[in-house]
Amino acid sequence: MSKKRTVLTFLTALMAVLVLSLLGLAMGSVGLSVDELLPAVREPGSIGAVILWKLRLPRVLGALLSGMALSTAGVLLQSVSDNELCAPNVIGVNAGAGLGVMVLLCFLPGAFYLLPVAAFAGALLTTILVLLVSETASSGSRQTSMILAGVAVSALLNAGISFLSQRYPDVLSSYVYFSTGNFNGVYMKDLWIPGPLILLGTVGAFFLTPGLNLLCLGEDQAASLGIPIRLIKNTSLILASCLCGASVSYAGMLGFVGLMVPHMSRRLVGTDLRVVLPFSAILGSALVILADLAGRVLFAPAEIAAGVFLSLLGAPFFLYLLLRRRRT
């Protein structure tokens, strides 16, 4: 792909994020026109200002950060595993983060500031467990073993979440919230810790892309070039877990973003991860903002969780990838 076309594609994606963000600020159960948005910026005490700053802005920013986190995590996991079907929700990383959050809510209900830590720990332990199971599997390809291991581990983790939600019914509403993936009720205070983690994790992931590009050529060839394979893999897994955990800590278990967006990005900007990863971060942000906006507008004044729309898109996409792999 030519450099000019790549730049144009990036600019288009950035413009989409900007337009969708502005629509997210203006649209909802109570619409705000351009004439109302500008006074709301200048008059902190007005009703429009409360809607804009306390409700709409945190929601749009949270969706933007979640899309960035899950898309970047998807690129890292697919690159490290050499598996195009690998994604946070497919191999159970999201469920692991969700279980970590549920354990904290059940046993330390007052320690909300530890939510990102609990989500990260659950995501990281799940990633390690899935990799260990897939590497020790005695039959089938490693790629297939990872998917099967992820499905099994995800089922186990979801069973744990269901058990805790029934054992501690007071957190059932929190379980429903996390299982669907929703930005309703996200406030700025919820983003103070996850936000910087997502930004730092995305920047850190970008610095891994040269090594990941070589790793995609094969481990033997990468090792012959002096690439520290184990270090790159472990760092990528830690960053992917951190990104998933940070997103889950406030947005819940959004599915299929990390699966769809890397594929779409490779189709649009090529296979160089130095380009794919930042473009995926932008495209993922646009996709999640759009899903949240659709949930607010299409059935207003009622709301549908963003995770529902993402699942409606992601499930057929996953089936398409499975059928394509079978034909090839």
Side-chain angles (χ1 to χ4, degrees):
M1 176 179 290
S2 66
K3 185 176 180 179
K4 182 177 180 181
R5 182 180 174 185
T6 300
V7 171
L8 181 62
T9 305
F10 262 89
L11 291 176
T12 303
L14 285 171
M15 184 61 67
V17 171
L18 177 61
V19 171
L20 289 170
S21 297
L22 291 175
L23 290 175
L25 294 175
M27 300 176 70
S29 57
V30 177
L32 294 176
S33 65
V34 176
D35 294 336
E36 292 172 316
L37 282 175
L38 295 179
V41 174
R42 298 192 297 264
E43 302 173 11
S46 65
I47 296 178
V50 173
I51 295 174
L52 177 64
W53 296 111
K54 294 188 178 295
L55 300 177
R56 299 275 174 84
L57 182 61
R59 187 164 185 166
V60 171
L61 186 58
L64 186 150
L65 289 170
S66 284
M68 180 184 300
L70 296 174
S71 299
T72 302
V75 173
L76 291 175
L77 290 174
Q78 290 180 14
S79 301
V80 168
S81 65
D82 189 26
N83 189 341
E84 64 176 7
L85 298 179
C86 193
N89 66 298
V90 174
I91 66 171
V93 179
N94 282 1
L99 180 60
V101 169
M102 287 298 295
V103 169
L104 183 71
L105 292 174
C106 291
F107 298 105
L108 293 172
F112 288 103
Y113 60 94
L114 291 177
L115 281 178
V117 178
F120 166 67
L124 180 60
L125 292 175
T126 301
T127 304
I128 294 173
L129 179 60
V130 170
L131 287 175
L132 288 176
V133 172
S134 65
E135 288 180 355
T136 55
S138 58
S139 61
S141 66
R142 182 180 176 185
Q143 290 84 354
T144 302
S145 298
M146 177 172 287
I147 298 299
L148 295 176
V151 171
V153 170
S154 182
L156 181 63
L157 294 171
N158 284 318
I161 294 175
S162 298
F163 171 79
L164 289 176
S165 67
Q166 295 184 29
R167 182 69 178 80
Y168 298 88
D170 292 341
V171 300
L172 183 59
S173 59
S174 298
Y175 165 64
V176 174
Y177 171 84
F178 279 105
S179 65
T180 57
N182 203 332
F183 297 97
N184 185 23
V186 173
Y187 302 103
M188 290 302 296
K189 63 181 178 63
D190 301 317
L191 304 176
W192 288 126
I193 297 177
L197 286 176
I198 291 172
L199 294 176
L200 291 174
T202 303
V203 173
F206 176 76
F207 286 106
L208 292 174
T209 53
L212 289 173
N213 272 334
L214 295 175
L215 189 62
C216 291
L217 300 176
E219 292 190 8
D220 294 337
Q221 187 168 349
S224 67
L225 295 173
I227 301 299
I229 297 175
R230 184 58 55 187
L231 176 62
I232 290 178
K233 281 190 171 184
N234 291 339
T235 305
S236 298
L237 293 176
I238 291 173
L239 283 178
S241 301
C242 181
L243 290 166
C244 291
S247 174
V248 169
S249 67
Y250 69 89
M253 293 184 286
L254 296 170
F256 296 105
V257 180
L259 175 70
M260 294 187 293
V261 173
H263 284 276
M264 296 164 63
S265 298
R266 285 190 286 266
R267 287 290 185 93
L268 292 171
V269 297
T271 57
D272 187 348
L273 293 177
R274 294 172 298 178
V275 180
V276 170
L277 191 141
F279 185 78
S280 294
I282 298 171
L283 188 61
S285 297
L287 178 63
V288 177
I289 293 173
L290 178 61
D292 180 54
L293 182 62
R296 278 190 279 162
V297 173
L298 293 182
F299 300 94
E303 289 193 10
I304 303 297
V308 174
F309 286 96
L310 292 171
S311 296
L312 288 173
L313 291 174
F317 191 87
F318 184 68
L319 291 174
Y320 160 74
L321 291 177
L322 284 175
L323 293 174
R324 191 183 70 176
R325 284 167 64 94
R326 183 174 182 178
R327 287 197 298 267
T328 56

